[in-house]
Amino acid sequence: MISINSVSFRYPGSENWVLKEASVDIEQGEFTAIIGGNGAGKSTLCKTLNGLIPSYYVGDFEGTVMVDGLNAATTSVAVLSEKVAYVYQDFENQLVRPTVLDEAIFSPLNFGYPDYMERGREALRILGLSHLEKEHIWQLSGGQKHLVALAGALSLQPEILIIDEPVAQLDPAHATELYDKLKMLNEEYNKTIIVIEHHTEFIANYCSSVIMMEQGSVLWKKPVKYGLSLVEELMDKNIHPPQVTQAMFQLKREQKPKLFPITVQEAKAEIQGKYEILPGPHLFSSQVSQVKGVETISMDGVDYGYKTITRKRKPIINELSLTCYEGEKIALVGSNGAGKSTLLKMISGLVKPQGGSMLVNGQSTSKLSMEQLAEKVAYIYQNPEEMFIEDSIYKDIDYFLKARKIADRREFIEEIIQRFHLEELRERDGRLLSGGQQRRASLAIGIAMKPSIVLLDEPTASLDIATRKDMMKMLNNLNGFVKTAIVATHDMELVAEWASRVIVLKGGIILDDTTPHTLFSNPALLREASLVAPQIVTLSKEVNMYPAAITTEEFLSRVKQVGVGGGSVECVSKAL
Amino acid sequence: MLNVFQKLFSKLSVENIKIELMRTAYGTEETVLSRLDPRMLIVWSLFFTTVPWFIHNMTILIGLAVLMGVLAYMARVSPLLIVLLIIGVISQFTYLIFVALFLGGTFTALLAVIPLTIKIMIISLSSMAVFTSMDPEKFSDALLSFGVPGKFSFGVSYGYRMLPILIEEYQSIIQSFRLRGKMPAKKGILYWRYIVYFLKISVLAFYPMMLNTAKRTRTTVEALEIRGFSYSEENDLAKKLKLKALKMNKYDYQFVAITSVITICIINIGMFYPL
C-alpha cells in the first residue's frame, strides 16, 4: 500500500535534514504506530504520504514515496488527499466550519461529490456522532471535537488514515473509546491506520506493528510484540514500554528472554504459578491521615453554571463542599466536562461562585479581586501559551514581581530559572518553545509568584515521556514552596505516583474523596467517573494482589519468584 | 436609577456579551425569518436600508420603523443589541441638544434631527433582524451565488467560526494579565486609575492573542489544502453543488408579498396623512 524508499527532506535554507534516508513499507489493512522522541521526524514522514511534502512545503526532497501505486512526490495533494486522510494533533485548528454536519461534508463537497451529504452523514454515523449533527463545533467537548475531525477525514472514504497523537487531550475512557473506533475502522472497513503515539499501552492493545524513528530515519519496523519487548532500547530513547512490560522486564532480568508480555493478559499468564504475591499494607493504613494541618481552602455549597447559546443555564458545579489542608497534594479527576477546570478557576478567583461560600486562607474569594487572590494562589493554565504575555521567559517570570515593585528580585528570578532549567530559554519567546519547555516555563512563572496554593490544569497533557518525567520531578519538589497543590488531570499514572488525596468529580458533584489506592481498587467508582486505572493496577487485580499495587515499583516489591529468596527482586525494585 | 444601571452593568459580563454576539451571529433559533432564502433576505434588507434615505414623509418613516420593530421582535433580536441601539439614540440626542444650546440655537433644531434618527433606526432594525436570522453558512452561500469569489465567502464563514475562539483566547489572556498584575491601590476620581489599568491590559492583550492565533493558522492552512479547499477553488463543482441547495419557495414569496403590501399601505397612509 505504502512504500517509502530512502526518503530525505530538508526545509529550504535549513542545514538539517528532517528526514534522512527513511525507508519503510506499510501493507494494506495494517494498524501501525510510529514512535520516537521529539524531533524524530514522525509527522514529517507522514506528511510525505499526502504530498504536503514536497508539493506544499517545497524543499530538498530525495527518494520515492509510493502510495497505492502513485508516486506521491509528483501527484497533486488533492488526488492524494482522497486516499490519505490526516488528523492533526492540534485537531481543533483543522475544524473550519461552524457546525458538525458542515464539517463532515466539507471535503466531499470541495471535491465535488454529488452525494456529499450522504458521505458526511455516513462518516458521522460510523463514529456515532449523528445526534450531534446540528451542534456548533465550539460548544462541543474536546473528545467530541476530535471525533468530528476524524469524521471530516473519513467522509472522503480514504484508504489510509493518519492520526497524530490521538489521545493526548482525552480522558482515559474517551481515549479507549477513540481507539475502539479506530480498531473498528481497521477491522470492519479495512482501513490502513497509522498513529503517532507516545502511549505504548494503546500500541500494545491495538496496533499490529510499530515503527521506530530517530533523527529522521526509520530504525526498524517490527510486529508490535517484538518492538515493545526491546525494553532497554526504548527506555534509552525515552519511550516507556507498557507498565506490565517494564515490570516483567525487571522480574526476568536474569533470564534475558527475547520477548516480554505487552498486555495484562499475557503478563498474567507469565506470573501465575511462577511468582508468589506478597501481602501489601492494609488499605486503611494509607488512608488520609486523621491529623490535619491548617485549612487553606474551604468551600461550602458552592454553585456555578454558565449560559449556553440558547440562554439556558448549564450547571457545572452543584452545591459542592470541600476543605483542603496544608501539606496536601490533591488530584482532581473525572471525565471531560466533570467540572475540574471550573473548580480550579473558582479557587483562583477567575470565576466567582454563584452560590455558597468559598474561602481561601480564610478570606471569601467574592470579596477579593483576581489580583489580590493571585498573591496567594497561582493558577497554571492548561494551555501554557495563554500565560506568555511578554516577549521573553525572563520578563514573563518577572511580570508579577515587577508589578509589585519587589526590590532585589533579580537574584530570586535567577534561582527560579535555575530550578526549572530555563537558563538557555530565558531570552526566548515562550510561544516559540516546544510543548515540554512551555510547560516548564509556565510552572516557573507560577512558582515565582511565591504562592501558598498552586493549581495546575492538566500539567502532563500531550507531553512526551521524558518531559513528563521531568514534570513529575518538579511537582514532587513543590513541597516547601507551596502549602497546598491541586492538580486537575486525566493522567492516572500521575495520580498514582504523586497524589496524597484524590477528589473524584462527576457532573459537578464529588463522587468520592479518597486516596489513590482506594480509588484504583474500586472498579464501580472508576467506571462511574469514566476513569481507567493504570495498567499495573489491572495486572495486580488479575493476579489477585490485594490491595492492588498502583505503581510499577510497588508491584515489583510485592512479587517473589516461587522457590527463590526475596532478595533479587527486592534489589531490582530498589534499583528502579 | 442607580439600581437600574447596576443591574444593567451586572449583565454586561464578558460571558453574556459573548453569548449574545454568538446568538446574533449564528441565528440559532427557528424564527419566522430564519427559514427564508438568504439571497432574498439580503436583497430585501438592501431595499430597506436604501429606501428610507429618499423618504421625507414622517408618517411613512414612523410606519416603517414600527414594521421593522415588529420584524426585529419576530426575529428575536438580542436584547443586548436593542439596548445598545437605544443607548446610541439617546446619547446622540443628548449631545445634539448640548451642541444646539451651545451654539445658541433653539430646540427647534432638534426637530430636524428626528427624521434622521428614525431613518437610522429603520436601517439598524432591519439589518439586525436579517442578520440574526441568517446563519453564517447561508450568508456565505448567498454571497457565493451573487458572484463573490469563493475565497471571500469562505472567509466570511470562517470568521464566524473563529469568533468564539478569539473571544475566549482574548478573555484568558486578559485574565493572565490580571492574575499576575496589580490593581492600582487607589481608585482615583471617577475610578480613573482603574479605567486606565483595564484599558492598558485590554490593549496589551491583543498582541499575545494575535501571535497565538497566527501560530494556529499553520495547521488550518495545511488542513484546508488536504481537505480540497484549493481544489474547489479551481473547479466549479463545489460551487454548483452548494448553490443547488438554495431555492426560493412558496414561503419566500409569501414573505415578500406580505411585507410589500404592508409597505405600500404605509406609503399610502403617509401620502394622505402626512405629519
Side-chain angles (χ1 to χ4, degrees):
Chain A
M1 193 72 183
I2 297 170
S3 166
I4 298 173
N5 197 357
S6 181
V7 166
S8 302
F9 179 75
R10 67 177 170 193
Y11 288 99
S14 165
E15 287 286 296
N16 302 327
W17 292 90
V18 201
L19 289 178
K20 221 158 52 192
E21 299 190 358
S23 302
V24 71
D25 290 329
I26 296 170
E27 302 298 322
Q28 157 118 42
E30 238 182 292
F31 194 152
T32 188
I34 304 182
I35 54 175
N38 284 340
K42 304 184 294 277
S43 304
T44 317
L45 185 76
C46 290
K47 281 176 190 168
T48 62
L49 298 180
N50 56 16
L52 279 178
I53 289 172
S55 303
Y56 192 70
Y57 290 109
V58 189
D60 299 325
F61 183 86
E62 287 163 21
T64 52
V65 177
M66 299 296 288
V67 176
D68 201 14
L70 296 171
N71 185 339
T74 54
T75 311
S76 76
V77 175
V79 172
L80 284 168
S81 297
E82 294 194 54
K83 296 194 182 299
V84 187
Y86 201 107
V87 180
Y88 286 83
Q89 186 181 358
D90 51 340
F91 55 88
E92 287 206 22
N93 301 328
Q94 110 180 61
L95 303 171
V96 290
R97 309 297 282 162
T99 68
V100 172
L101 183 63
D102 287 325
E103 188 65 42
I105 62 173
F106 184 64
S107 307
L109 186 60
N110 281 335
F111 285 109
Y113 288 105
D115 60 340
Y116 66 94
M117 204 46 104
E118 289 77 48
R119 281 171 177 250
R121 289 225 162 93
E122 171 71 3
L124 292 177
R125 190 192 58 76
I126 292 175
L127 295 173
L129 294 169
S130 299
H131 63 291
L132 297 175
E133 213 177 270
K134 289 198 173 127
E135 288 288 321
H136 291 286
I137 302 262
W138 60 283
Q139 284 194 322
L140 299 180
S141 72
Q144 288 171 332
K145 281 185 197 161
H146 208 152
L147 285 178
V148 173
L150 190 58
L154 267 183
S155 57
L156 276 181
Q157 303 174 352
E159 297 288 317
I160 302 159
L161 267 173
I162 303 169
I163 302 122
D164 198 343
E165 302 252 6
V167 299
Q169 296 179 34
L170 300 183
D171 65 49
H174 282 102
T176 315
E177 192 188 316
L178 182 78
Y179 261 101
D180 284 336
K181 294 259 153 78
L182 293 180
K183 188 180 171 188
M184 180 266 299
L185 289 173
N186 176 246
E187 288 173 356
E188 285 174 34
Y189 296 85
N190 202 26
K191 307 274 182 209
T192 308
I193 295 183
I194 303 170
V195 289
I196 299 174
E197 185 59 271
H198 290 309
H199 299 83
T200 46
E201 271 95 356
F202 284 111
I203 300 180
N205 287 336
Y206 291 95
C207 298
S208 55
S209 57
V210 56
I211 295 169
M212 168 66 121
M213 287 192 71
E214 191 182 46
Q215 290 175 358
S217 306
V218 174
L219 289 189
W220 41 256
K221 179 186 173 192
K222 291 183 195 296
V224 75
K225 191 161 166 71
Y226 287 84
L228 294 183
S229 290
L230 298 170
V231 176
E232 275 166 320
E233 185 183 340
L234 292 175
M235 298 284 270
D236 195 43
K237 300 201 157 59
N238 268 318
I239 297 160
H240 276 206
Q243 278 189 321
V244 293
T245 316
Q246 289 182 56
M248 293 312 292
F249 172 76
Q250 297 296 346
L251 285 178
K252 295 188 145 194
R253 201 162 216 174
E254 320 239 300
Q255 290 122 300
K256 290 197 176 146
K258 276 235 167 69
L259 287 179
F260 292 101
I262 58 169
T263 62
V264 171
Q265 289 309 319
E266 287 173 20
K268 179 187 173 187
E270 293 250 350
I271 287 179
Q272 267 177 349
K274 292 175 203 148
Y275 291 88
E276 191 183 327
I277 307 296
L278 306 176
H282 199 267
L283 210 50
F284 293 103
S285 65
S286 58
Q287 197 68 268
V288 185
S289 66
Q290 293 305 304
V291 192
K292 286 176 173 156
V294 185
E295 274 185 27
T296 49
I297 302 166
S298 144
M299 295 173 228
D300 189 24
V302 170
D303 268 317
Y304 187 77
Y306 69 86
K307 265 209 281 187
T308 61
I309 194 159
T310 51
R311 293 213 190 92
K312 278 189 200 114
R313 183 177 179 274
K314 189 177 177 202
I316 302 292
I317 302 287
N318 294 311
E319 292 196 25
L320 188 140
S321 300
L322 175 70
T323 309
C324 307
Y325 302 91
E326 252 180 48
E328 285 187 321
K329 297 195 274 186
I330 301 171
L332 283 179
V333 297
S335 64
N336 290 336
K340 305 187 295 290
S341 297
T342 310
L343 198 58
L344 290 189
K345 283 186 182 164
M346 244 198 267
I347 301 172
S348 68
L350 285 183
V351 299
K352 309 279 184 198
Q354 291 161 343
S357 83
M358 166 79 133
L359 302 177
V360 171
N361 287 342
Q363 279 177 295
S364 165
T365 58
S366 306
K367 288 183 187 134
L368 295 173
S369 68
M370 285 183 205
E371 287 84 349
Q372 285 168 319
L373 251 176
E375 316 233 329
K376 300 188 183 83
V377 184
Y379 174 67
I380 318 277
Y381 282 50
Q382 177 170 7
N383 176 7
E385 281 189 1
E386 287 166 355
M387 290 185 72
F388 301 128
I389 52 181
E390 288 279 2
D391 58 8
S392 79
I393 294 296
Y394 183 92
K395 284 193 205 160
D396 262 322
I397 297 175
D398 191 29
Y399 192 92
F400 175 87
L401 304 162
K402 198 172 155 193
R404 281 160 186 73
K405 302 198 175 66
I406 294 184
D408 304 324
R409 53 182 193 270
R410 214 181 170 82
E411 218 168 287
F412 175 68
I413 298 173
E414 291 302 331
E415 196 189 313
I416 292 279
I417 284 182
Q418 269 176 26
R419 193 181 172 83
F420 289 91
H421 313 297
L422 295 167
E423 291 93 341
E424 287 169 14
L425 308 175
R426 54 190 297 160
E427 296 307 326
R428 298 268 305 274
D429 188 314
R431 282 167 282 265
L432 300 178
L433 304 179
S434 75
Q437 292 168 332
Q438 285 189 340
R439 292 267 170 204
R440 218 159 64 208
S442 68
L443 192 54
I445 294 171
I447 297 303
M449 292 161 69
K450 294 191 190 164
S452 65
I453 297 165
V454 64
L455 312 169
L456 299 112
D457 204 345
E458 298 287 354
T460 56
S462 58
L463 290 188
D464 68 20
I465 300 298
T467 8
R468 191 181 159 277
K469 227 170 147 184
D470 218 35
M471 194 71 196
M472 288 288 299
K473 222 156 82 193
M474 306 266 178
L475 287 177
N476 278 323
N477 285 340
L478 288 180
N479 293 13
F481 267 91
V482 295
K483 287 177 186 157
T484 308
I486 306 182
V487 168
T489 188
H490 291 319
D491 183 344
M492 292 302 127
E493 288 180 38
L494 170 73
V495 175
E497 288 168 46
W498 174 81
S500 68
R501 181 177 173 194
V502 188
I503 311 288
V504 187
L505 286 177
K506 188 189 178 184
I509 56 165
I510 296 181
L511 275 189
D512 204 358
D513 180 351
T514 177
T515 62
H517 267 103
T518 345
L519 168 67
F520 293 134
S521 31
N522 188 344
L525 177 60
L526 288 170
R527 210 171 22 250
E528 176 151 22
S530 8
L531 300 173
V532 175
Q535 208 186 16
I536 202 76
V537 175
T538 319
L539 178 63
S540 305
K541 286 180 191 158
E542 289 287 330
V543 300
N544 298 324
M545 180 185 283
Y546 290 109
I550 60 171
T551 60
T552 319
E553 287 85 342
E554 188 191 348
F555 181 84
L556 288 172
S557 70
R558 284 169 56 193
V559 287
K560 201 179 89 178
Q561 206 166 349
V562 174
V564 180
S568 69
V569 172
E570 260 165 44
C571 272
V572 170
S573 70
K574 266 178 202 148
L576 267 176
Chain B
M1 190 65 193
L2 194 70
N3 268 331
V4 177
F5 266 112
Q6 272 175 350
K7 230 177 148 183
L8 241 169
F9 273 110
S10 72
K11 294 226 162 162
L12 271 181
S13 68
V14 182
E15 267 318 291
N16 277 337
I17 293 176
K18 189 174 91 190
I19 293 291
E20 293 303 325
L21 273 181
M22 298 313 296
R23 284 178 57 82
T24 311
Y26 280 119
T28 45
E29 270 174 89
E30 282 283 319
T31 62
V32 186
L33 297 182
S34 68
R35 280 185 287 160
L36 297 168
D37 185 308
R39 294 168 301 177
M40 190 276 290
L41 270 179
I42 291 179
V43 173
W44 184 90
S45 75
L46 278 177
F47 176 79
F48 280 100
T49 46
T50 44
V51 163
W53 297 111
F54 304 107
I55 298 176
H56 306 286
N57 181 321
M58 274 299 276
T59 317
I60 300 178
L61 286 177
I62 292 175
L64 287 179
V66 171
L67 172 63
M68 291 308 139
V70 172
L71 282 174
Y73 175 76
M74 277 158 70
R76 298 197 207 155
V77 170
S78 150
L80 178 79
L81 290 181
I82 301 286
V83 167
L84 283 179
L85 180 70
I86 293 171
I87 292 179
V89 169
I90 293 177
S91 61
Q92 195 195 9
F93 245 89
T94 2
Y95 110 86
L96 283 169
I97 290 177
F98 274 107
V99 172
L101 291 179
F102 182 73
L103 295 177
T106 52
F107 283 103
T108 46
L110 262 180
L111 289 176
V113 190
I114 293 177
L116 175 72
T117 315
I118 296 182
K119 284 176 190 177
I120 290 174
M121 260 174 68
I122 296 174
I123 293 166
S124 319
L125 285 170
S126 70
S127 26
M128 283 195 296
V130 165
F131 281 95
T132 305
S133 319
M134 215 174 355
D135 69 34
E137 280 322 284
K138 283 191 185 163
F139 183 52
S140 101
D141 287 351
L143 288 180
L144 200 65
S145 77
F146 291 148
V148 172
K151 273 195 182 117
F152 184 81
S153 65
F154 174 80
V156 169
S157 80
Y158 180 66
Y160 276 111
R161 154 90 183 100
M162 288 299 285
L163 197 64
I165 298 182
L166 288 180
I167 298 178
E168 258 160 48
E169 179 102 1
Y170 188 57
Q171 192 185 2
S172 23
I173 290 170
I174 286 190
Q175 286 174 341
S176 198
F177 270 99
R178 293 196 61 193
L179 281 181
R180 274 143 66 196
K182 192 171 187 324
M183 274 230 261
K186 288 179 199 148
K187 293 175 193 156
I189 299 160
L190 285 175
Y191 292 89
W192 76 271
R193 283 174 202 274
Y194 282 5
I195 293 172
V196 168
Y197 173 73
F198 283 116
L199 283 180
K200 203 174 146 191
I201 288 182
S202 47
V203 172
L204 285 175
F206 262 101
Y207 300 98
M209 181 185 76
M210 310 261 241
L211 293 170
N212 289 350
T213 314
K215 237 186 100 179
R216 290 158 182 264
T217 346
R218 196 187 134 126
T219 304
T220 311
V221 171
E222 272 186 36
L224 283 177
E225 191 67 26
I226 58 175
R227 299 184 65 190
F229 182 64
S230 22
Y231 181 83
S232 77
E233 287 286 279
E234 293 152 17
N235 298 279
D236 269 353
L237 288 171
K239 188 175 164 181
K240 280 184 197 137
L241 282 176
K242 261 190 208 167
L243 299 186
K244 236 164 121 187
L246 290 180
K247 259 193 201 122
M248 291 277 283
N249 56 28
K250 205 174 88 191
Y251 192 69
D252 292 295
Y253 294 116
Q254 280 172 354
F255 178 80
V256 174
I258 293 172
T259 45
S260 313
V261 167
I262 297 178
T263 314
I264 291 168
C265 284
I266 292 173
I267 293 173
N268 276 320
I269 295 171
M271 300 287 209
F272 287 111
Y273 307 99
L275 272 174

